[in-house]
Coordinates of all heavy atoms in Angstrom, one line a residue:
S2 N 57.1 135.7 -77.0 CA 55.8 135.9 -76.3 C 55.5 137.3 -76.2 O 56.4 138.2 -76.2 CB 55.8 135.2 -74.9 OG 56.7 135.9 -74.1
P3 N 54.2 137.7 -76.2 CA 53.8 139.1 -76.1 C 54.3 139.7 -74.8 O 54.4 139.0 -73.8 CB 52.3 139.0 -76.2 CG 52.0 137.7 -76.8 CD 53.1 136.8 -76.4
S4 N 54.6 141.0 -74.9 CA 55.2 141.6 -73.7 C 54.1 142.1 -72.7 O 54.3 142.4 -71.6 CB 56.1 142.8 -74.1 OG 55.3 143.7 -74.8
N5 N 52.9 142.2 -73.2 CA 51.8 142.7 -72.4 C 50.9 141.6 -71.9 O 50.2 141.0 -72.7 CB 50.9 143.8 -73.2 CG 50.0 144.5 -72.3 OD1 50.0 144.4 -71.1 ND2 49.1 145.3 -73.0
Q6 N 51.0 141.2 -70.6 CA 50.2 140.2 -70.0 C 49.4 140.8 -68.9 O 49.8 140.8 -67.7 CB 51.1 139.1 -69.5 CG 52.1 138.5 -70.5 CD 51.5 137.7 -71.6 OE1 50.5 137.1 -71.4 NE2 52.1 137.7 -72.8
P7 N 48.3 141.5 -69.2 CA 47.6 142.3 -68.2 C 47.0 141.6 -67.1 O 46.6 140.4 -67.2 CB 46.6 143.1 -69.0 CG 46.3 142.2 -70.2 CD 47.7 141.5 -70.5
V8 N 46.9 142.3 -65.9 CA 46.2 141.8 -64.7 C 45.2 142.8 -64.3 O 45.5 144.0 -64.2 CB 47.3 141.5 -63.6 CG1 46.5 141.1 -62.3 CG2 48.3 140.5 -64.0
I22 N 42.0 136.9 -76.7 CA 43.3 136.7 -76.1 C 44.0 135.7 -77.0 O 43.7 134.5 -77.2 CB 43.1 136.1 -74.7 CG1 42.3 137.0 -73.8 CG2 44.5 135.8 -74.1 CD1 41.8 136.4 -72.5
P23 N 45.0 136.2 -77.7 CA 45.8 135.4 -78.7 C 46.6 134.3 -78.0 O 47.0 134.4 -76.8 CB 46.6 136.3 -79.5 CG 46.6 137.6 -78.7 CD 45.5 137.6 -77.7
G25 N 49.6 132.4 -76.6 CA 50.9 132.9 -76.0 C 50.6 134.2 -75.1 O 51.6 134.6 -74.5
S26 N 49.4 134.7 -75.1 CA 49.1 135.8 -74.3 C 48.3 135.4 -73.1 O 47.8 134.3 -73.0 CB 48.3 136.9 -75.0 OG 49.0 137.4 -76.1
S27 N 48.2 136.3 -72.1 CA 47.3 135.9 -70.9 C 46.7 137.1 -70.4 O 47.1 138.3 -70.6 CB 48.2 135.3 -69.8 OG 49.1 136.2 -69.3
L28 N 45.6 136.9 -69.7 CA 44.9 137.9 -68.9 C 44.5 137.3 -67.6 O 44.0 136.2 -67.5 CB 43.6 138.4 -69.7 CG 42.7 139.3 -68.9 CD1 43.4 140.7 -68.6 CD2 41.4 139.6 -69.7
T29 N 44.8 138.0 -66.5 CA 44.5 137.5 -65.1 C 43.5 138.4 -64.5 O 43.7 139.7 -64.5 CB 45.8 137.4 -64.3 OG1 46.7 136.5 -65.0 CG2 45.5 136.9 -62.9
G47 N 45.8 132.4 -72.3 CA 45.5 132.1 -70.9 C 44.6 133.1 -70.3 O 45.0 134.3 -70.2

Side-chain angles (χ1 to χ4, degrees):
S2 65
S4 60
N5 191 6
Q6 308 290 332
V8 175
I22 303 170
S26 297
S27 69
L28 173 64
T29 301

